[in-house]
Amino acid sequence: RRNNGGATFGTGFNSADQIFNINTNNFFHYSRNFGELHNIEATGGMSYQNYKLTSNSVSARDFPSDEFKKLASAATNTAYSSSETQFSFLGYFARANYKYKEKYLAAISGRYDASSRFGKNNRWGFFPAASVGWILSEEKFLSKISWLNFLKLKGSWGLTGNAEIANFASRGLFSGDASYGGNPGIRASQIPNPDLKWETTISTDIGVEATVLKNRISVEADYYMRKTKDLLLNVEVPGTSGFSTQLRNVGKLENKGFELTVNTNNIVGRKFKWSSSLNYAANRNKIKNLGGQTIGTVNVAKEGEALGVFFTREFAGADPANGDALYYKNTLLPDGKRDRTTTNDYNVAQNVIVGNPNPDFIYGFRNNFTYSGFELDVLVQGVYGNEIFASGGQYMTASGSNGFDNQTRDQLPAWKKPGDVTSVPEARLFYSNGVNNSSRYIYDGSYLRLKALTISYSFPASVTSRLKLDRVKFYVRGQNIFTHTNYPLWDPEVNADFSASNIVQGRDFYSVPQARTIVFGVNIGL
């Protein structure tokens, strides 16, 4: 494009990515029955992947006229870059399943995997797993219970590995972008760690599956415990090394929780049918060991706490005398307690745990109704007990960074004169007042949402057959139709991953608005 009003006469950009990916999986399968009581299935094989990405880009500006399309015609090259990255995985695996009398089940498996991302001393990892199952409904002592159709107890144990780190994470890296006095040079950009290895998780699960009342109701319940060790985290190192952090294996994390799924066929008629599905999940996690460090800014990884807890100043409202934002000092006293007096000096207050983004539980409830070709499908989902740190709230208040962003109703009771008792500090144009990171911007994130609603009509076979079609279905679908929540900003359905690797990289988490949409469509099958 040509800009006649300024000094720039058009800009151009060109980029190219070349991906070279080799992926192969080879395996053999064996299955055999021994008499009428025993059955064995076995699988073994190997997998290999080699991935390489090469990227180049260049941009330029100031073209003689719109007729010149190539970057070489531009007067000025404004930017250029090139990069290349590569990784590879190699693995061998085996699995065996055994079944006795169609009611006693056992399985054992193992993987032996290597990744180019780890140090040369620990590139390989072995990951075994085992599971057992007992179908009680096949036992004679339960055969006379007419309302019980199926009952199974199950348990499993397994070790898994995590390799989701940057390529070449264990290598000592150098960059050629250093220069001194116009002379080219190189600089160290990463400390090597030849001992870097797989992050591993031991998972233990026990559960039950059951169907009753002529398969009208099915229930699946599971309790699990997952213990992760050798977390892949950036650990602080002495500044004399020339670096601030190094990726190492450190720390332990524990997750445990309960999951429940209930499916029901409420009405099963010739024309009218109604089915439901309910799911519920609750998880608790705690960092057992982190080498004594605290990682992150507001969302942190801290020993003895849940992953991602909010660690910042505790907001105490507004000073009735002058409208200053107040914070609890929370400094440690000689008796081990914390000073609960307030201060208007943000730097005097100490960081403390002020919230938890992990929900108490999540749930969903789905209902499906059909009648003579018409169908109504309704999905409701929700989250309870989580908290959200809305960093964007700092820019929605009248006491924000520029003083012009007074956009939310909760700012109406802001302090205005001596004697006002309020939790909202005075709005000060061009002067920040209480906008630093603190518990002021932590909100209850619980919500109940009508996530999806679909109404459709399918033409009967007598019509579609005359049209030489297999099916014709018209539908209208709504997404994110209604939300009940006390969260005052944007959307409580936070799109956040509070994994240790994300927290340690300082990524910011906030709610991303989920668009309310309505779609009309037709599904035709030939």
Side-chain angles (χ1 to χ4, degrees), residues 153-157 204-208 221-225 257-259:
L153 297 180
K154 57 184 180 178
S156 65
W157 175 94
T204 303
D205 295 77
I206 57 173
V208 59
D222 293 274
Y223 175 81
Y224 62 85
M225 178 175 290
F258 175 75
E259 296 177 343

Side-chain angles (χ1 to χ4, degrees), residues 275-473:
S275 62
S276 301
S277 178
L278 172 69
N279 60 75
Y280 169 93
N283 181 78
R284 302 290 181 269
N285 69 67
K286 179 180 290 188
I287 298 175
K288 294 292 188 178
N289 181 280
L290 206 57
Q293 61 182 329
T294 297
I295 300 175
T297 51
V298 178
N299 288 106
V300 301
K302 184 178 176 63
E303 284 184 13
E305 301 291 344
L307 188 61
V309 292
F310 301 121
F311 186 63
T312 185
R313 269 67 161 185
E314 185 178 3
F315 183 66
D319 188 335
N322 54 25
D324 284 351
L326 296 177
Y327 305 91
Y328 292 105
K329 292 181 180 179
N330 281 320
T331 51
L332 281 175
L333 300 173
D335 60 1
K337 297 181 180 180
R338 292 191 177 274
D339 184 355
R340 298 294 292 169
T341 60
T342 60
T343 176
N344 63 355
D345 187 345
Y346 182 82
N347 296 316
V348 170
Q350 300 296 304
N351 288 338
V352 292
I353 303 297
V354 292
N356 190 341
N358 301 283
D360 293 338
F361 58 86
I362 61 176
Y363 57 94
F365 187 42
R366 187 169 204 154
N367 284 273
N368 183 271
F369 306 87
T370 60
Y371 178 77
S372 297
F374 290 95
E375 181 177 357
L376 172 64
D377 191 87
V378 183
L379 173 62
V380 175
Q381 71 173 39
V383 175
Y384 180 80
N386 68 311
E387 293 174 301
I388 299 173
F389 177 77
S391 56
Q394 301 168 357
Y395 305 99
M396 301 289 285
T397 65
S399 53
S401 58
N402 58 29
F404 291 103
D405 293 332
N406 184 17
Q407 300 180 23
T408 55
R409 185 175 299 174
D410 59 351
Q411 300 308 302
L412 292 176
W415 186 96
K416 298 177 181 63
K417 64 182 184 303
D420 285 350
V421 178
T422 176
S423 60
V424 183
E426 181 185 24
R428 295 172 181 172
L429 188 63
F430 301 121
Y431 294 93
S432 61
N433 184 25
V435 299
N436 304 87
N437 290 338
S438 73
S439 60
R440 178 185 181 186
Y441 300 106
I442 295 177
Y443 302 94
D444 178 14
S446 303
Y447 71 88
L448 172 66
R449 164 167 284 172
L450 178 54
K451 184 65 176 179
L453 187 148
T454 303
I455 301 174
S456 63
Y457 176 73
S458 298
F459 284 93
S462 59
V463 176
T464 57
S465 60
R466 289 198 297 268
L467 298 174
K468 307 299 183 182
L469 297 173
D470 180 64
R471 66 184 182 277
V472 178
K473 181 178 182 178

